[in-house]
Amino acid sequence: MKTKKFVDLMEWWNKYKYKPYEKIDMLMAGEKECDAIYLDQSITAREKEELANGLLEILIESFKYEGKAEDVIRFIKRFPIIDYYFIFIDKIKILLKERMITKEELFITGKYYANECEESEGIKLGLTLLRFADNIDALEILKIYSNHNEFIFYCIEAIKEYSMCNSIIFNIAKASNGYGKIIAVSNLEPLTEEIKEWIIEEGSLNNILEEVLLILKFNEYDYLNYFGSGRKTKNKYEIFTRNLKLLCQIEDTLREYITFEIINLYFEYYKKFDINFDNLYVMYSMLMLLYDEDNKMASELSEFEKELRDNITNKILSYNYEEIIKDEISFGSYDKKIAIDIASVFDIELKFNDFKDVLKYEPFNNYIYQYILEKEDKLDKNNLIKFACENIDFDKINYEKETIYEEEINKEYIDYRYAQDIALYLIISDMEDLAKDYIDINIKALKTRYIATRRAAFANLKNFYEYKSKEINEEIKIACSLEDDKNLKRSMERFLNNRNDEEKESRFINIEDVKVKPHSKDIFLLQTHIAGIKYRDLTIIEEKLIKGKEVFLKREKDNLYDKNSIMILADNGYLLGYIPKSENVILKNLIDYGKIIYGEITDISEDFSEIKVDLFLSYVDVIEEVSATLNMMADESIGYLN
């Protein structure tokens, strides 16, 4: 007696032919088969062999004795046939050749399981056996089940044994969707121009895993032929862009499939038609390959190809993409990191206001925060900090709930559960001198669950202690009593103890006139130590006291105890101590003459009682002198060229 499932599918087939059966979950049906085919990590080859032998033994016995079908169903429910399908098929082929079973037996048994079995695994076995029936009735059953994604794999594999199989599979592929389309396309041979064109135009259109579909049948020759011959139309441009965009989403795939010829051909379309963000993203992604030294294609370009590459690049750089990029950031669907990266490549500066729309629904977007905080625009930083403080739910990320350590958070893919934690950490750690305007926020941050945020907040409060010393002192006391991280707790205790030591001094000096970046032509002068450390409260600055960190020298001409006094300052202007008296005369003369000297920390004792530094004469003043001279020579009004 035919099952209701078979009757429903038969009626559907008679009415709609290859159209997918509507009563299936397109996001789930066939997933198990796809995983088994393309991942195949479930069981070993030996286990597959044993399972195939086990099923064959029970199946052959069922040919002889009635009632044994239940044993077969029990076996395949426990050990699904997909896990050892191809080995099972090979064994049946051998049995047929040895005439140990007949096509008629396989047809009768296959038809029984396909039409009369309620169990899905039984139906799959039936379709598998119908592969060898070699008759019209069996093929009709296979077609009926082919519009159901759960069975499509078994149908297509079986149809391969019949005449005109590729044409049938093409019809299935054109109508299918979901995992069914992946299975159909993977088994489709591009034997005709019609099939090749369909693969390019529609083969990757799907509700899931479109990039997998594209990769399955991507052929460079077919692409160059299809897009390179005939007229370059806007429709072709859209198809080209859509397909290349799928490749761009997986970097390794892009490297494997994209060639210089494809990039050059796409550029022909790019300069012919209007450009949207999809086009820009594809062109940008492919061009990056041509400049990537680790990419084989880039390293093997001929001189002619390099010249052509540079011409393409110059042409692309000449376009104005500001409106396209800003619209994508505000209203587009791309990951904002992509839009930000492309904006940076084309020297397009984005402001806080450009992110207002996206921040409404992504208030803690990690890439937006990083981008704004890394810029030198204090107004933008200030706007972002205000926005974050208004939107962060401090109760949700409160310290009392738990402590989260750095290793628990993947910085590349921020879990939504930690989005607020990371957003707060980013603004707290990159406030710099703005921190003095947000002392209350830093106090709140001392009680949050992310340990890195607590450390950054503590560092800020130490730097700006002088602004609200009494309030900060009390809040750090409370935080210290609650702190469960031993290192941070110890730092807080040292800081609080030093607050009670009247001999300890803390002072910040403006160092904008002496702060320089190291240069390869800087001249090493000498190694020395920082004098007067014991009188300084280094707990305020201890996180900056690491080997390799720069320190800066500045004269203190009004020092009552030493007329040659030279201060040694951290990169935020905190006074660490002085150049020893025995070594400051020559250094004082250099500085008074206009030279800039800076240092680099080379050694630090565990208790910060001794810090050694290497001193360098900066090359920056030489550069400035040469620049000034050239500027004067270029100014004819001064008379140097007359």
Side-chain angles (χ1 to χ4, degrees), residues 86-97:
F86 293 104
I87 292 179
F88 179 70
I89 289 297
D90 289 341
K91 290 184 179 295
I92 290 182
K93 288 179 180 179
I94 293 171
L95 291 175
L96 279 169
K97 288 178 181 179

Side-chain angles (χ1 to χ4, degrees), residues 31 109-110 634:
E31 181 180 16
T109 307

Side-chain angles (χ1 to χ4, degrees), residues 94-106:
I94 293 171
L95 291 175
L96 279 169
K97 288 178 181 179
E98 293 294 321
R99 298 182 181 178
M100 297 177 70
I101 55 175
T102 66
K103 290 183 179 181
E104 182 66 20
E105 286 177 314
L106 292 174

Side-chain angles (χ1 to χ4, degrees), residues 77 141 156 183 221 230 273 275 347 367 387 397 423 546:
K77 282 179 68 177
I141 294 172
I156 288 176
I183 293 168
Y221 175 80
F273 296 101
I275 299 167
D347 291 328
Y367 299 115
F387 173 85
I397 59 173
I546 55 176

Side-chain angles (χ1 to χ4, degrees), residues 439 461 464-476 495-496 499:
I439 286 175
L461 291 171
F464 296 99
Y465 181 83
E466 59 191 273
Y467 288 89
K468 290 187 177 181
S469 57
K470 186 175 180 182
E471 179 184 351
I472 291 175
N473 211 58
E474 289 305 311
E475 293 295 342
I476 292 177
F495 176 81
L496 292 169
R499 292 300 88 206

Side-chain angles (χ1 to χ4, degrees), residues 195-438:
I195 295 176
K196 290 177 182 178
E197 288 185 6
W198 178 84
I199 286 173
I200 291 173
E201 294 172 354
E202 301 180 47
S204 62
L205 296 177
N206 202 23
N207 60 334
I208 55 169
L209 301 174
E210 291 185 321
E211 63 278 10
V212 172
L213 273 168
L214 183 74
I215 294 166
L216 281 172
K217 295 298 175 182
F218 186 91
N219 182 290
E220 180 196 358
Y221 175 80
D222 289 342
Y223 269 67
L224 293 175
N225 183 58
Y226 177 84
F227 293 107
S229 61
R231 289 178 57 246
K232 291 178 175 61
T233 65
K234 190 169 184 180
N235 183 53
K236 278 187 174 181
Y237 184 34
E238 290 172 355
I239 294 168
F240 207 177
T241 300
R242 184 189 70 221
N243 290 0
L244 291 177
K245 177 183 170 184
L246 292 173
L247 288 180
C248 291
Q249 290 170 0
I250 308 176
E251 187 175 345
D252 290 341
T253 301
L254 187 67
R255 289 170 179 269
E256 182 177 352
Y257 290 98
I258 293 301
T259 64
F260 185 81
E261 289 74 18
I262 286 180
I263 296 173
N264 191 37
L265 179 57
Y266 185 74
F267 178 64
E268 294 299 315
Y269 283 87
Y270 189 87
K271 63 186 181 182
K272 180 179 176 67
F273 296 101
D274 292 339
I275 299 167
N276 59 33
F277 193 81
D278 281 341
N279 311 136
L280 177 59
Y281 167 61
V282 167
M283 200 72 247
Y284 156 81
S285 300
M286 294 195 300
L287 271 182
M288 291 298 101
L289 293 180
L290 296 179
Y291 290 94
D292 183 358
E293 294 179 358
D294 295 329
N295 182 32
K296 185 179 179 182
M297 176 176 61
S299 64
E300 294 179 352
L301 291 178
S302 67
E303 290 303 315
F304 173 75
E305 287 172 333
K306 287 179 181 177
E307 184 178 344
L308 190 56
R309 173 198 66 184
D310 295 341
N311 288 337
I312 292 172
T313 304
N314 291 334
K315 180 69 175 176
I316 288 170
L317 288 172
S318 69
Y319 297 160
N320 185 349
Y321 302 109
E322 185 168 350
E323 185 177 347
I324 293 173
I325 291 173
K326 288 185 176 180
D327 281 348
E328 174 59 35
I329 286 173
S330 295
F331 312 111
S333 58
Y334 279 79
D335 188 321
K336 301 311 168 191
K337 180 181 184 301
I338 292 172
I340 290 170
D341 287 346
I342 293 176
S344 299
V345 167
F346 292 105
D347 291 328
I348 295 170
E349 184 180 3
L350 302 171
K351 310 290 284 183
F352 174 78
N353 286 340
D354 295 320
F355 296 106
K356 272 189 171 181
D357 290 312
V358 67
L359 285 171
K360 289 176 184 176
Y361 58 90
E362 290 184 55
F364 310 112
N365 186 296
N366 178 237
Y367 299 115
I368 294 174
Y369 278 63
Q370 286 179 330
Y371 176 80
I372 292 177
L373 292 168
E374 286 171 1
K375 294 197 308 171
E376 297 299 321
D377 191 325
K378 287 190 176 181
L379 178 60
D380 265 10
K381 275 190 178 184
N382 204 31
N383 286 333
L384 179 65
I385 293 169
K386 285 181 180 178
F387 173 85
C389 293
E390 290 170 1
N391 286 274
I392 289 173
D393 183 351
F394 283 91
D395 290 335
K396 182 178 179 180
I397 59 173
N398 192 280
Y399 162 79
E400 295 177 4
K401 297 182 184 298
E402 59 180 325
T403 289
I404 299 171
Y405 288 88
E406 289 95 327
E407 56 269 21
E408 297 177 53
I409 296 181
N410 185 333
K411 299 297 194 307
E412 294 296 320
Y413 304 99
I414 303 298
D415 190 308
Y416 74 94
R417 294 173 299 170
Y418 306 129
Q420 294 192 65
D421 300 275
I422 296 300
L424 181 60
Y425 165 70
L426 289 171
I427 63 171
I428 293 292
S429 62
D430 212 348
M431 280 182 167
E432 296 179 336
D433 57 337
L434 287 174
K436 67 178 179 291
D437 300 322
Y438 294 97

